[in-house]
Every structure is written in structure tokens, then in C-alpha cells.
Amino acid sequence: MALSWRSWLANEGSKHLFLFFWLSLNVWLFWKTFLLYYQGSQYYYLHQMLGLGLCVSRASASVLNLNCCLVLLPMCRVLLAFLRGSQKVPSKKTRRLLDKSKTFHVTCGVTICIFSVLHVAAHLVNALNFSENYNEDFLALNAANYRGEVIMSGLVPGLTGVIMVLVLFLMCTASTYAIRVSNYDIFWYTHNLFFVFYMLLMLHVSGGVLKYQTNLEEHPPGCFNPNKTLQDNMTVPKTVEELLPGYNTEPFPEDLSVPEPFVQNSFMRICSEEPKFQSHFPETWFWISGPLCLYCMERLYRYIRSNKPVTITSVISHPSNVLEVRMTKDDFEARPGQYVILHCPRVSALESHPFTLTMCPTDTKATFGVHLKVVGDWTERFRDLLLLHSNQDTEILPIFQQRRYPKLYVDGPFGSPFEESLNYEVSLCVAGGIGVTPFASILNTLLDGWKCYKLRRLYFIWVCRDIESFRWFADLLCMLHNKFWQENRPDYVNIQLYLSQTDGMQKIIGEKYQALNSRLLIGRPRWKHLFGEIAKCNRRKTIGVFCCGPSKISKILHKLSNSSNSYGTRFEYNKESFS
């Protein structure tokens, strides 16, 4: 399929427009600050001493201030959930832009790393120029005490800068995909060093090494001061000697004005006093104090909201190392598609992980639940604490047989793109393996009632490697299928299950799941053909495409959503991404 500009603008337009605005702001801020230090009269002597290193260091610092301010905002999960779920953001396109918060956070983080390198390199040049261009005429301006002095090691900005670079290096390297997959603990602990980074940043800007001239009217940059005595061993400029052969180097009396010939000299401006310099008031405070306070207030609110442990009602062990935890909590409300963050102190005192809700509380039931796949140290320890050593792990144990579960704290809920799946008339939901969890809460919600939502047709596609995985939600799919058949709406949910392996299929799929037999297909979906059939059946409609699964499937769906079709159907692509 060829690219459709209409679909591309719907899927990518707002994202690229926002990116262009952010990039333009960075470029404008860099160039504005560069010109200020390159041409500004108050920085004339400082620029003469440091050269372009001054301009680059200050311009990169401005970009760092901006991005250190913005990088915290996408991590304000409560604020994003409020904006997504309220009428404050009525536009669906704007709400979909909020789904890119994690991408924007990463973009700001990469920008901070790049401009930090540029900032450090420029300041190394400045340190060298301070030492090499040492001038006794400007002792207040120069950070060095003598020519050839190594100055960076003894200054607060230098020491805090070195530590900040080390912290940033740890955070950057631990954020790579390889480390996050192999050892999530390293990523989690190093990323929480951001608080140390911001505290050091506050100290870093308080050194006052770079100074500007304060008496520009009394001492225009580059002017000549006739009142300067000979004790500094300075000679009169040649231009003045030629103009005034009888010039006396004695200082003018204080009660006399400067002679007219000096003032009228077009080659040399005359000043009445020496330049005076003063350190800047730190600007970084203005940039980061607001977002940092907002983030800290949100973390405090989240801590207060989640300080009461939930009551675990049941734990179910499913095939393929999947654990289901059902729980209750007073005054807990959530919308389909949202996720929560679980924290179990007995597993880890500080570490916590996000999990999508597979069951949301309703007016008639307070129970909510999550499904988690046991793939790492945290989930393994969590499973061992929850499950009894029994051969009947798959059964819900009666209350009197249950062990005393460890304390579990729930932070959330938080918003995700899948909240929008019920706001389309037609939605296409594609899951890969455990990626089915965001759709489970949506299917459970439809089971309770569907007429109050805008959704009128749902295409649900689930791709798994082994047949056992379908048992996670086979009962739910069967109940949903039977419900719509009884209500004479068999076309409301179109279920397609794809299996890449056939071993054990006949043993698992039997009469109990007869409704799923005809919907079980071997192999992988023919995505292009599938999109064409959906577009044909839903002419001139806007279809929401939601994907949670491997990146390969996501890329294919993303590309097809931007492709054109002959039926006037538009696909709007959404992807699950924890922020």
C-alpha cells in the first residue's frame, strides 16, 4: 500500500508539529544566547579573554536549562492521567499526543546528554583560556590567580560538574535497551539518581565564575581611561600620543571634566573609571524550580495515596509462567486500559514495577487484578512469596487455605493509550503474547455492558507462540462471544487467534472452548490483507488501531496505518508504552 498523506497527518502530524516547535525553541534559545555573549557589551572583556568557548558554554547551558525543565514533566503521571481522563483536553489528537510522553522524556534526556558534552568541552577551553590569557588589569574578571594555573579542580562549579557528568553517564548507559532487558534493577536504581543530579545542578550554578560588566556608561567596552596612573606600568596608546603630543600622564583632578579633545576623538572612546564586574544571579533556578516542585508534590501525593496496602483476595498461576493477582482497595477507581505500579517491600524496599489492569472495579464489584509474566528477579521473588507449594496452583484457593500474603502497595491508576479504544466506533486491537493484558480490562468492561460506549465493532487479534497462553483469557473470550450471540450482536466482537506452534492443540482446545475453535488459525496474520478487509467492511470510517506486543508487529501495523486504501477508511495508530 502507498503512503496516505491524510493518514500520515492523522497519525504523525501533531507529533512532528510538536517536535518541530520544541526543536525550534532549542535552536532559538541556543542562537539567542550565543549572540548575547558574542556581541553583548557587558561581556566584551570576558569574550576577549575566553573567545568562542564562552559563547558555546553559555548557549549550551541555556539548552540544558530548557530540557532539564521539560524532562520532568512527562514523568508527572498523575497530571497526565488527569488531563487524559478529564474534559480539560477534549481533542482526541491532543490526548493521543500525551501518549508520546515517554518518547518526549527520552528525547529530552538524549538532548541533555549531547549538550552536556558540548558544555563540558567548552568549559575546558574556558579554563585553558582563563589560565593562558591571565591579565593583571582584570583581576576581578579572571578566575585564575596567575598564568598557567589549573583552576577547575578547586572550584565548586568544576567539582559539581565532574560529579554531574558521572551521574549522567550512569543514568544514560543504564537506560539502554540491553541493560533494561537484562537487569532492570540497574536501570531503576541509577535512574533515581536524578535527584542527586538536580541538587548538584543547583550548586553548580552558584559558583559565579563568569562575570559581566556593570558600569557600561562610565566605561564603554574598549575605551581608554586617562585617569589611569603609571603605577601599573601602562603606556599611553599611540593614537593618543599622536593626537596630543604634550599629553601629561598625571591624573586629572577629580573636580575637572575630561578635556573636549578626548571626547571628540573618533578613534578612541574615553572613560572616566575602570570596568567593574559582577557575577550573574543563577538562572537555572527559574527553569527547574517549577517542574521540580511539581514532580516532588506529585510524588508526595502518590506516596500518601498508596501508603495503605491492598487486600489480596486470590492468586492464580496460569500456564507459561503467568501469575494473576486479584485484590481490593478502598476508594480505588480505574478506567479500562489503565495501569498501576506495584510495590512489595518484602521483594524490594525501593523497586516497583508497572502492570496493566486486566480487571477494573465496577459499581457491583470492588475487585481489580493484574496479570504478570515471570521473567525477572523481581517477578520471581514476588511469585515465590505469593504461591503455595501446591500442585493445584491454578485453582483459586479458599480463604481459610490461603497463606498470609505479603504486604502489597498499589500506586495509580495511570493513563494509557488504550483508554481511547472505547471512544472509536470501530477499534482494531492487536496483542502479542502477554501483551494481551491491556485488552483484558476492556473485554471485561464490555462483558459488564457495552451500550454506554461509542464502540460498535471490535476486531481482536491475539498472536501467541504456544497454545497454553490462550488459556489465560479463554474463559473471558468465550463468555464475551456467548453474550453477544445471545444479544443478537455476533458482529460486535471479531476474535482471531493465531498460533505459531501446533503441539498440544487438540488436548487444550476442546469442547470447553468450542467457540474459539473456529477462530484459531495456524501461522501469523497476513496484516496487509487483514487491513484491506477491515477497510472494506468499514468504508469512510476512522478506525483506532491499538497494539501491545513485539516491536516487529508494532512497526508493521504502524506502517499499514499510514498507508492509503480505496475505501476512504482511515486508521489511527496507538501503541502501549509505560511512562
Side-chain angles (χ1 to χ4, degrees), residues 86-159:
S86 67
Q87 298 302 317
K88 303 294 183 182
V89 186
S91 172
K92 186 184 297 183
K93 289 185 177 180
T94 307
R95 291 199 302 270
R96 292 176 66 228
L97 190 61
L98 296 177
D99 299 334
K100 308 297 181 182
S101 58
K102 178 185 174 182
T103 303
F104 183 63
H105 173 76
V106 174
T107 303
C108 290
V110 172
T111 304
I112 291 174
C113 292
I114 294 174
F115 279 89
S116 293
V117 173
L118 184 61
H119 185 72
V120 170
H123 269 314
L124 290 177
V125 175
N126 290 339
L128 180 62
N129 287 332
F130 267 133
S131 181
E132 294 296 326
N133 298 331
Y134 175 79
N135 192 332
E136 294 183 354
D137 295 334
F138 304 104
L139 296 178
L141 183 65
N142 206 319
N145 295 317
Y146 55 87
R147 186 180 299 274
E149 179 188 10
V150 180
I151 62 174
M152 292 300 291
S153 59
L155 298 173
V156 172
L159 293 175

Side-chain angles (χ1 to χ4, degrees), residues 8 53 71 78 85 89 119 143 156 159 181 192 212 218 242 248 251 306 327 339 370 422 428 456 460 473 484 496:
W8 187 89
V71 74
V78 175
V89 186
H119 185 72
V156 172
L159 293 175
V181 172
N192 279 276
Y212 67 99
E218 296 80 4
E242 293 176 351
N248 187 358
S306 61
M327 60 202 98
Y339 70 94
V370 297
L422 298 174
L428 169 61
R456 289 298 175 263
F460 177 68
F473 298 104
F484 287 111
Q496 297 183 29

Side-chain angles (χ1 to χ4, degrees), residues 363-381:
D363 295 335
T364 58
K365 61 179 181 180
T367 304
F368 62 97
V370 297
H371 283 62
L372 55 97
K373 191 172 181 63
V374 182
V375 293
D377 295 339
W378 192 92
T379 51
E380 287 178 358
R381 296 194 298 267

Side-chain angles (χ1 to χ4, degrees), residues 39-93:
Q39 299 177 346
S41 299
Q42 64 270 42
Y43 304 108
Y44 173 81
Y45 290 108
L46 189 61
H47 178 256
Q48 291 294 316
M49 183 176 294
L50 301 183
L52 289 179
L54 169 68
C55 306
V56 174
S57 64
R58 300 313 302 154
S60 58
S62 297
V63 177
L64 288 172
N65 286 337
L66 173 64
N67 287 276
C68 286
C69 164
L70 296 177
V71 74
L72 289 174
L73 297 180
M75 294 297 101
C76 296
R77 294 184 174 96
V78 175
L79 176 63
L80 294 179
F82 169 75
L83 293 176
R84 188 196 307 273
S86 67
Q87 298 302 317
K88 303 294 183 182
V89 186
S91 172
K92 186 184 297 183
K93 289 185 177 180

Side-chain angles (χ1 to χ4, degrees), residues 224 235-248 261-262 265 267-268:
F224 169 70
T235 59
V236 179
K238 184 177 180 181
T239 53
V240 178
E241 292 177 346
E242 293 176 351
L243 289 173
L244 302 172
Y247 173 68
N248 187 358
F262 286 104
N265 179 17
F267 298 95
M268 175 76 63

Side-chain angles (χ1 to χ4, degrees), residues 494-556:
N494 186 317
I495 302 174
Q496 297 183 29
L497 308 178
Y498 288 86
L499 179 67
S500 58
Q501 297 179 7
T502 58
D503 295 342
M505 182 181 66
Q506 297 301 325
K507 183 179 65 173
I508 301 301
I509 301 297
E511 293 185 0
K512 183 179 179 181
Y513 305 117
Q514 189 64 35
L516 303 180
N517 278 335
S518 60
R519 290 160 177 78
L520 181 62
L521 305 173
I522 307 302
R524 300 182 182 278
R526 296 162 56 193
W527 297 113
K528 186 176 181 180
H529 174 76
L530 186 64
F531 267 68
E533 289 296 319
I534 294 176
K536 183 178 179 181
C537 296
N538 301 275
R539 298 170 183 265
R540 301 189 180 280
K541 291 184 179 180
T542 299
I543 300 175
V545 180
F546 301 87
C547 175
C548 184
S551 59
K552 184 177 180 180
I553 296 179
S554 176
K555 291 178 181 178
I556 294 174

Side-chain angles (χ1 to χ4, degrees), residues 13 15 17 106 126 229 261 359 395 410 426 478:
K15 177 183 68 176
L17 181 63
V106 174
N126 290 339
T229 62
M359 180 187 299
E395 300 296 329
V410 172
V426 182
C478 288

Side-chain angles (χ1 to χ4, degrees), residues 271-286:
C271 49
S272 58
E273 62 182 43
E274 290 300 297
K276 298 178 181 179
F277 302 99
Q278 179 178 323
S279 299
H280 269 292
F281 181 81
E283 297 180 358
T284 303
W285 293 79
F286 296 111

